[in-house]
Amino acid sequence: MSLDLIQMVLATVLAAATPLVIAALGELVTERAGVLNLGVEGMMVCGAAIGFAAAVESGSTLVGALAGIGAGMALSALFGLLTVGLAANQVASGLALTILGLGLSGLVGAGYVGLKREPAPHLHLPVLSDLPGIGRLVFGQDGFVYAGIALAIGVSWFLWRTRGGLILRAIGDDHTATHSLGLSVRGVRFLAVLFGGACAGLAGAYLSLAYTPFWAPAMTAGRGWIALALVVFASWRPARVVGGAILFGGATVLQLHAQASGIGLPGQLLSALPYLATILALVLLSLGRRRGGSQAPAALGRDFTPHR
Amino acid sequence: MRLDLVPRGRRSALSAALSPALAFLAAVLVGGIAVALMGVSPAAAFTVYFVAPLSDLWSLQEIALKAAPLALIATGLAFCYRANLWNIGAEGQFVVGGLAGGIIAIATHGTEGATFWILPAMLLTGTLAGLAYAMIPALLRVKLGVSEILTSLMLVYVAELLLDYMARGPLRDPAGYNFPQSVTFDDAARLPYLMEGDTLHAGVLVALAAVLLAALVLGRSLFGFEMRLVGASPRAARFAGFGEARLTLMAFAISGGAAGLAGIVEVAGKIGQLQPTISPGYGFTAIIVAFLGRLSPVGILLAALVIAVTTIGGEAAQIDLRLPLDLTRAFQGLLLGLVLAADVFTRFKVRLVPGAAR
């Protein structure tokens, strides 16, 4: 009995962590290429709105997820054009993207407020999913969760085990030197930005298609920003992103349970916990980092205009 | 095909002034297409958004009331952004300023005798509270190297939740039938109206004075020069011996103080009590205003008026044309992007080279 309860709690933690993992992994690749895209929140919320709209219209969760990915990529392409193509300020462009995304998502989602869909189907394997204690946790999740895990492994493998990953990291550390070597700095950066957008869009689609599963205006509620903080917290390493996201997911679930059980603390304080925890995590990280120096890609946030 | 950016030798003042205007035109054009796609005549929408708000006294007052906090916050932010510091938490500093100043009004509610000191005390407290709240990300950045972008934004959510708690809990009017709001402030705790029986209050003058002061400081003082130099060339600033930590703290103090002042002006002027929410996102809109105004106080004043017009127009369009308010927000985001792009064209000649390798 208690084993099933633990399993249930762990499953909700995993569900809360999944959007953070997906969005943060995308942003990690973007930042490893040297581009800081602060528009994660905007891309994510657009992915949620457009993903939900497409799923309702087509009746297919898969189409919804793909539409969410497409929405994130379209917005990130605008951002890439601005910052990689035109060397505009990355911080300001990212903020513009967030504001634009929040507005666009409201426009698209307006006709879908109040609608509900069946949540994305969960995996069910005949014997394995019914194993007591771990069956549902390991073999009974929806496709997004497995996609998130595959993404973490894939990103890790790509960045450290392939030539492409080496080039991407080199460009993020020194765009002048890599440009001199004849590598396409702006081409790689643009692709990295697109990948980040696709992931943010998918993370948003997860929220509206599997996590809630409905659309509500501004439903991302700062998760895009928490994903950005996670990348810093994880020192730009995929495995640590997963660990950090599970910690944050745990904090979210804890807060929800505390709110439901009514333990005397004001609800607003509990709601503020994820944000306070983010600040605390960043502080603790920088305290620990003082010995090792900064882990950030050296060219992060600096614009690049090739001299010919 | 290859995209080349060739730096321009000289930046003409004319193109620098024209680029935001061109960006605005382009945004209006895209907005018009979007409106047409939604089945509304672009001409009718243009009238509601940009012409109608300017055509009667009531909405002109509303424009001034919306532009004042935007200009005030954006001017403060300009100090940060000029120095390449990214305070994006002005919304939180606004809320904390309004809350702290409002507490004084509630504590002195019903005071007999001398009450002349209440309003100045509220304005001062609001300013200092916003300043103190901005010191959190500033100190974390200076002392520990924590990104001010993320911490200042996270503190927005915390401030909003704090106000929500206070307005529903400790500060709620006990005789208010359980409505989540405080007592209505006494007249001594309200900014006076500039015109009898209207909505325009003295907060507009406070904002105007602050913007003019900022223009003088930024353009004519050594401190303003240091601020601009740190942003334009951090290396040169270090060689000149300008303390980066001190400037960071100063820039955050100015922007936080300005946002806090705007917060208490809104509470003591327009709202007149504390409610669970006191800002329709002024702190975020002000970021657009700051860039649209090219980070100069006079430009910001103009930009604040333009954005205020579109916001008032957006509210009218929601009623008259059934166009959602999110259209205004999307328009403002698009506008910021286009302003940033237009800025690139003033700094570089942008050339497409067909057929060249990337």
Side-chain angles (χ1 to χ4, degrees), chain A residues 27 30-31 35-43 79 83 89-99 224-225 228-229, chain B residues 86 88 147 149-150 153:
Chain A
E27 178 67 15
T30 306
E31 291 192 14
V35 184
L36 179 66
N37 185 354
L38 290 183
V40 181
E41 179 86 359
M43 300 186 293
F79 176 83
T83 56
N89 182 298
Q90 293 178 10
V91 176
S93 304
L95 292 174
L97 194 65
T98 294
I99 298 165
W225 294 102
L228 273 162
Chain B
W86 301 101
I88 58 174
S147 158
I149 302 174
L150 294 168
L153 185 93

Side-chain angles (χ1 to χ4, degrees), chain A residues 193-223:
Chain A
V193 167
L194 280 184
F195 181 78
C199 290
L202 180 65
Y206 169 77
L207 288 176
S208 63
L209 294 177
Y211 191 68
T212 40
F214 54 80
W215 157 256
M219 66 183 294
T220 41
R223 283 191 184 84

